[in-house]
Amino acid sequence: MQRIVPGRAWPLHDVAAIRRLEQRAAAALPPHTLMQRAGLACARLALALAPHARTFWIACGPGNNGGDGFEAALHLQQWGKEPVVTWLGDEAKAPADALASLQRARAAGVRFATEAPPDWDFALDALLGLGAARAPTGALLAHIEALNAGSARVLAIDLPSGLDADSGRSEACVQAAHTLCLLALKPGLFTGGGRDAAGQVWFDDLQVASDAEASSAVLSAAPMRQPRRHASHKGSYGDVAVICGAPGMAGAALLAARAALHHGAGRVYAALLDPQAPPLDPDQPDLMLRAWDALDLRALHVACGCGGGDAVRPVLPRVLSAARTLVLDADALNAIAGDPQLQALLQARGRRQAATVLTPHPLEAARLLGKKTSEVQDDRLAAARELALRFGAVTLLKGSGTVIAAPQGEVRINPTGNARLAIAGTGDVLAGWVAARLAAGEPALDAASHAAYLHGLAADQWPEDQPLTAGSLARTRPAGVPD
């Protein structure tokens, strides 16, 4: 059993792949083996998490997730605890494995009840697991609400009940303190509503190798730190141009430019689109302010759109056609969403394989796709894949569990970050960091996923007694940035 923490690249498997793994393993092992292994793993983790708890409520659903709960209850009973099982199943309809575990639990003297115990110290959610085909209703919903209303912690078995394993979509869902994911890690635990619902994720493969099935996504790994060579110079680390900053919005452009500079770019040009913009940044005089049309975009790694307003639209044809590499954010994405000619230029970049990264938040992604924001959030992986394929650009779909998708099909989910990033300007900083990593020579998928990882890590490591602002974030130099 392993605790899942940021750092390592973990393969993530969708439900279809996990069902195939489960079927092959069940065919190769003695009957009932997987359920017994799962129940024992859950009981061990529950005991480790709550060693002094006496009363354990095990809420069991009608399927095999409930069977895992019966097995866990059996072990807790044998270890001197007081498990109380509520079961929403029917013996006449129960799967064979779950029925066998039900009989084992009864034979061990486990107490069964129609309602949750009045005072429980710890709970195990064994209601649905992968079996959630629709939004819970009736008794299932009542049990989910009771688990969420309790004052004690909940350990979800495999998945928080009600959470979609593939997408992280959740309508009515258990909010667990811990989740023990079984057999293979599911992408829904790490994006959308999954991060809040799952709490701390643990993993047990039940002694079954998952390499026989291709992963549907990967949990991003930490980038390796790359020390700078002594025999290098500013040109070794690339030139970034930040083209944005409409009247009244110069701050967004300066945040992106400062972020690129502090993230290791050799030189940074700030091309503000406000005609009244000052000729220099007094707080960061090493930024070079230029008129955007005086820049040789063919030699530059461009970030465009941060605080661009309507002023960014006229510059986009040349930027899309000429920029060496390109990060498109905010108002640049909004302009492209409403203009078929700009969309065609973006798609042309993809056809000639010019490195491009889109960094939409869900509303911007919805505009680009012609969908509702709720549709994007219902399946963030599918939305990011669709954008990447449609425009031939790496797509970094921001949010809880940022999704990074490449046109070739590879998908990564970022495991770092927290709600302290939910303030104005942090997206501008991220765009600057992506541009700096492109300038350093990273491929677009790596530049996007590494920047997202470090962006979130900076927030995770931010001192609790200090406010996180975009300005202070832009000046950070997290591990993974060249020295």
Side-chain angles (χ1 to χ4, degrees):
M1 187 184 304
Q2 294 170 283
R3 181 171 180 256
I4 304 301
V5 294
R8 171 179 165 182
W10 286 95
L12 308 174
H13 290 79
D14 60 23
V15 171
I18 291 168
R19 293 297 191 204
R20 292 191 292 270
L21 283 171
E22 198 171 39
Q23 289 167 4
R24 279 197 297 271
L29 293 168
H32 203 221
T33 300
L34 283 180
M35 187 167 288
Q36 289 183 357
R37 289 177 181 174
L40 178 58
C42 292
R44 283 176 171 165
L45 182 56
L47 190 64
L49 293 172
H52 304 298
R54 294 298 307 162
T55 302
F56 288 75
W57 174 26
I58 297 94
C60 294
N64 282 329
N65 196 238
D68 296 339
F70 299 148
E71 287 290 327
L74 178 155
H75 292 292
L76 291 169
Q77 177 80 16
Q78 292 173 340
W79 298 337
K81 300 299 182 180
E82 297 175 6
V84 179
V85 172
T86 56
W87 183 42
L88 301 179
D90 179 346
E91 287 192 50
K93 299 178 181 177
D97 274 358
L99 191 57
S101 290
L102 172 66
Q103 293 164 350
R104 279 163 50 84
R106 284 175 172 163
V110 171
R111 176 185 161 198
F112 281 74
T114 56
E115 295 182 353
D119 296 303
W120 42 279
D121 304 315
F122 195 85
L124 277 72
D125 162 27
L127 291 170
L128 289 173
L130 284 180
R134 61 184 66 87
T137 58
L140 273 170
L141 179 58
H143 273 60
I144 289 172
E145 291 173 343
L147 286 165
N148 290 342
S151 59
R153 291 175 297 165
V154 176
L155 167 63
I157 298 179
D158 202 25
L159 281 168
S161 291
L163 181 74
D164 185 274
D166 289 345
S167 68
R169 181 176 64 252
S170 61
E171 295 179 34
C173 179
V174 167
Q175 301 295 307
H178 298 268
T179 296
L180 176 56
C181 190
L182 301 169
L183 205 62
L185 288 171
K186 291 83 175 166
L189 291 168
F190 302 100
T191 195
R195 294 185 74 199
D196 285 321
Q200 173 61 58
V201 177
W202 303 77
F203 175 55
D204 195 312
D205 64 6
L206 305 182
Q207 303 169 50
V208 175
S210 61
D211 0 356
E213 291 289 338
S215 60
S216 59
V218 174
L219 205 61
S220 292
M224 293 182 63
R225 194 176 187 97
Q226 300 291 339
R228 295 193 178 211
R229 294 180 177 274
H230 293 294
S232 64
H233 52 83
K234 60 190 176 189
S236 305
Y237 304 102
D239 295 345
V240 169
V242 175
I243 303 175
C244 41
M249 293 185 279
L254 293 177
L255 281 171
R258 292 174 185 176
L261 193 63
H262 285 276
H263 206 73
R267 286 174 292 209
V268 178
Y269 299 94
L272 303 183
L273 301 179
D274 181 355
Q276 305 302 317
L280 63 88
D281 178 0
D283 292 328
Q284 193 75 65
D286 33 358
L287 292 180
M288 292 174 282
L289 273 69
R290 297 285 191 276
W292 78 271
D293 51 4
L295 298 171
D296 180 7
L297 300 184
R298 294 168 299 176
L300 295 172
H301 305 273
V302 177
C304 184
C306 309
D310 292 334
V312 78
R313 189 181 300 271
V315 312
L316 279 171
R318 182 176 162 193
V319 167
L320 288 164
S321 300
R324 179 176 173 182
T325 71
L326 181 58
V327 182
L328 291 166
D329 187 47
D331 290 320
L333 297 174
N334 292 329
I336 290 167
D339 189 327
Q341 292 183 328
L342 294 178
Q343 292 174 27
L345 288 172
L346 176 56
Q347 290 165 339
R349 282 187 66 85
R351 287 192 295 273
R352 64 179 184 270
Q353 298 185 336
T356 309
V357 178
L358 314 182
T359 59
H361 57 51
L363 176 57
E364 292 158 353
R367 289 169 179 156
L368 287 164
L369 292 170
K371 295 182 176 181
K372 297 177 180 177
T373 306
S374 59
E375 294 176 290
V376 170
Q377 290 295 77
D378 278 349
D379 197 337
R380 290 168 51 75
L381 277 77
R385 285 190 184 103
E386 186 177 349
L387 283 169
L389 185 61
R390 180 179 298 188
F391 294 112
V394 168
T395 298
L396 187 158
L397 176 58
K398 293 181 280 197
S400 179
T402 290
V403 179
I404 306 99
Q408 298 77 18
E410 186 175 350
V411 176
R412 300 176 186 176
I413 298 179
N414 182 54
T416 64
N418 59 60
R420 297 183 78 178
L421 290 169
I423 55 172
T426 57
D428 305 319
V429 173
L430 178 60
W433 286 11
V434 176
R437 300 191 80 88
L438 288 169
E442 284 193 350
L445 180 61
D446 288 343
S449 58
H450 291 165
Y453 186 100
L454 295 170
H455 191 251
L457 184 64
D460 291 339
Q461 296 178 344
W462 205 267
E464 286 294 330
D465 59 347
Q466 296 179 20
L468 190 158
T469 65
S472 55
L473 182 64
R475 291 185 168 87
T476 61
R477 199 171 179 80
V481 178
D483 291 324

